[in-house]
Amino acid sequence: MKEQNTELAYLAGVFDGEGSMGMWSKGKDKGPAFRLQIEMSDGDTVLRFLTYFKQGSITVRVPKDLKYKMMYHWRVNGEDGKTIARAMLPYLSKRRQAQFQEAA
């Protein structure tokens, strides 16, 4: 159990610095929906989110110019995203906690 809490705390710390959450439009015919996401060049770290939470999807953005890095983007929408955000909430900064309260 302690190992699981350590992984959750680690992921929350990464998310606190690199992630974003809020309401995003799902298109002109659909209303806004909650989204939790993180994008970074460390693919192994992004994969840890998918592996731990077993929710969401990862997309890879290959740069057109070789001077840029490949980017990995994990995102979870809707209630699944809110559930994950609530799990990380105790480990997030006050700013992120307030951001979640406003968006949820």
Side-chain angles (χ1 to χ4, degrees), residues 50 55-59 73-76:
L50 184 64
Q55 294 287 332
S57 62
I58 293 177
T59 56
H73 185 177
W74 172 76
R75 90 174 87 193
V76 183

PDB file of all heavy atoms in Angstrom, residues 50 55-59 73-76:
ATOM      1  N   LEU A  50      -0.831   6.513 -17.427  1.00  0.00           N
ATOM      2  CA  LEU A  50      -1.734   5.534 -18.022  1.00  0.00           C
ATOM      3  C   LEU A  50      -1.651   4.202 -17.282  1.00  0.00           C
ATOM      4  O   LEU A  50      -2.674   3.572 -17.000  1.00  0.00           O
ATOM      5  CB  LEU A  50      -1.398   5.349 -19.501  1.00  0.00           C
ATOM      6  CG  LEU A  50      -2.317   4.435 -20.301  1.00  0.00           C
ATOM      7  CD1 LEU A  50      -3.733   5.009 -20.365  1.00  0.00           C
ATOM      8  CD2 LEU A  50      -1.766   4.232 -21.697  1.00  0.00           C
ATOM      9  N   GLN A  55      -6.651   4.694 -17.118  1.00  0.00           N
ATOM     10  CA  GLN A  55      -7.674   5.524 -17.762  1.00  0.00           C
ATOM     11  C   GLN A  55      -6.986   6.479 -18.718  1.00  0.00           C
ATOM     12  O   GLN A  55      -5.831   6.833 -18.528  1.00  0.00           O
ATOM     13  CB  GLN A  55      -8.446   6.358 -16.723  1.00  0.00           C
ATOM     14  CG  GLN A  55      -9.278   5.575 -15.755  1.00  0.00           C
ATOM     15  CD  GLN A  55     -10.527   5.013 -16.410  1.00  0.00           C
ATOM     16  OE1 GLN A  55     -11.044   5.563 -17.374  1.00  0.00           O
ATOM     17  NE2 GLN A  55     -10.998   3.893 -15.895  1.00  0.00           N
ATOM     18  N   GLY A  56      -7.727   6.919 -19.710  1.00  0.00           N
ATOM     19  CA  GLY A  56      -7.228   7.933 -20.623  1.00  0.00           C
ATOM     20  C   GLY A  56      -6.529   7.350 -21.836  1.00  0.00           C
ATOM     21  O   GLY A  56      -6.606   6.152 -22.109  1.00  0.00           O
ATOM     22  N   SER A  57      -5.857   8.223 -22.540  1.00  0.00           N
ATOM     23  CA  SER A  57      -5.133   7.818 -23.741  1.00  0.00           C
ATOM     24  C   SER A  57      -3.877   8.660 -23.883  1.00  0.00           C
ATOM     25  O   SER A  57      -3.773   9.756 -23.333  1.00  0.00           O
ATOM     26  CB  SER A  57      -6.018   7.991 -24.976  1.00  0.00           C
ATOM     27  OG  SER A  57      -6.364   9.356 -25.134  1.00  0.00           O
ATOM     28  N   ILE A  58      -2.934   8.111 -24.622  1.00  0.00           N
ATOM     29  CA  ILE A  58      -1.686   8.821 -24.899  1.00  0.00           C
ATOM     30  C   ILE A  58      -1.591   9.020 -26.405  1.00  0.00           C
ATOM     31  O   ILE A  58      -1.817   8.090 -27.173  1.00  0.00           O
ATOM     32  CB  ILE A  58      -0.461   8.035 -24.397  1.00  0.00           C
ATOM     33  CG1 ILE A  58      -0.472   7.966 -22.876  1.00  0.00           C
ATOM     34  CG2 ILE A  58       0.838   8.685 -24.891  1.00  0.00           C
ATOM     35  CD1 ILE A  58       0.653   7.146 -22.284  1.00  0.00           C
ATOM     36  N   THR A  59      -1.257  10.242 -26.780  1.00  0.00           N
ATOM     37  CA  THR A  59      -0.950  10.522 -28.179  1.00  0.00           C
ATOM     38  C   THR A  59       0.487  11.039 -28.245  1.00  0.00           C
ATOM     39  O   THR A  59       1.001  11.581 -27.274  1.00  0.00           O
ATOM     40  CB  THR A  59      -1.918  11.553 -28.805  1.00  0.00           C
ATOM     41  OG1 THR A  59      -1.894  12.741 -28.005  1.00  0.00           O
ATOM     42  CG2 THR A  59      -3.325  11.022 -28.877  1.00  0.00           C
ATOM     43  N   HIS A  73       1.406  13.056 -24.850  1.00  0.00           N
ATOM     44  CA  HIS A  73       0.256  13.758 -24.286  1.00  0.00           C
ATOM     45  C   HIS A  73      -0.733  12.719 -23.744  1.00  0.00           C
ATOM     46  O   HIS A  73      -1.270  11.918 -24.500  1.00  0.00           O
ATOM     47  CB  HIS A  73      -0.379  14.593 -25.395  1.00  0.00           C
ATOM     48  CG  HIS A  73      -1.503  15.452 -24.942  1.00  0.00           C
ATOM     49  ND1 HIS A  73      -2.153  16.308 -25.794  1.00  0.00           N
ATOM     50  CD2 HIS A  73      -2.133  15.597 -23.766  1.00  0.00           C
ATOM     51  CE1 HIS A  73      -3.108  16.929 -25.141  1.00  0.00           C
ATOM     52  NE2 HIS A  73      -3.115  16.493 -23.914  1.00  0.00           N
ATOM     53  N   TRP A  74      -0.967  12.747 -22.416  1.00  0.00           N
ATOM     54  CA  TRP A  74      -1.948  11.882 -21.771  1.00  0.00           C
ATOM     55  C   TRP A  74      -3.145  12.737 -21.398  1.00  0.00           C
ATOM     56  O   TRP A  74      -2.983  13.834 -20.865  1.00  0.00           O
ATOM     57  CB  TRP A  74      -1.347  11.239 -20.519  1.00  0.00           C
ATOM     58  CG  TRP A  74      -2.300  10.474 -19.656  1.00  0.00           C
ATOM     59  CD1 TRP A  74      -2.811   9.233 -19.905  1.00  0.00           C
ATOM     60  CD2 TRP A  74      -2.832  10.877 -18.397  1.00  0.00           C
ATOM     61  NE1 TRP A  74      -3.629   8.838 -18.869  1.00  0.00           N
ATOM     62  CE2 TRP A  74      -3.660   9.842 -17.930  1.00  0.00           C
ATOM     63  CE3 TRP A  74      -2.694  12.019 -17.605  1.00  0.00           C
ATOM     64  CZ2 TRP A  74      -4.347   9.906 -16.719  1.00  0.00           C
ATOM     65  CZ3 TRP A  74      -3.373  12.078 -16.401  1.00  0.00           C
ATOM     66  CH2 TRP A  74      -4.182  11.035 -15.977  1.00  0.00           C
ATOM     67  N   ARG A  75      -4.337  12.254 -21.691  1.00  0.00           N
ATOM     68  CA  ARG A  75      -5.533  13.011 -21.320  1.00  0.00           C
ATOM     69  C   ARG A  75      -6.649  12.066 -20.904  1.00  0.00           C
ATOM     70  O   ARG A  75      -6.750  10.946 -21.403  1.00  0.00           O
ATOM     71  CB  ARG A  75      -5.971  13.940 -22.425  1.00  0.00           C
ATOM     72  CG  ARG A  75      -6.941  13.359 -23.403  1.00  0.00           C
ATOM     73  CD  ARG A  75      -7.435  14.377 -24.391  1.00  0.00           C
ATOM     74  NE  ARG A  75      -6.496  14.412 -25.495  1.00  0.00           N
ATOM     75  CZ  ARG A  75      -6.461  15.326 -26.420  1.00  0.00           C
ATOM     76  NH1 ARG A  75      -7.308  16.310 -26.420  1.00  0.00           N
ATOM     77  NH2 ARG A  75      -5.601  15.286 -27.385  1.00  0.00           N
ATOM     78  N   VAL A  76      -7.480  12.567 -19.988  1.00  0.00           N
ATOM     79  CA  VAL A  76      -8.658  11.847 -19.522  1.00  0.00           C
ATOM     80  C   VAL A  76      -9.783  12.867 -19.436  1.00  0.00           C
ATOM     81  O   VAL A  76      -9.621  13.946 -18.870  1.00  0.00           O
ATOM     82  CB  VAL A  76      -8.437  11.226 -18.126  1.00  0.00           C
ATOM     83  CG1 VAL A  76      -9.648  10.431 -17.699  1.00  0.00           C
ATOM     84  CG2 VAL A  76      -7.202  10.360 -18.097  1.00  0.00           C
TER      85      VAL A  76
END
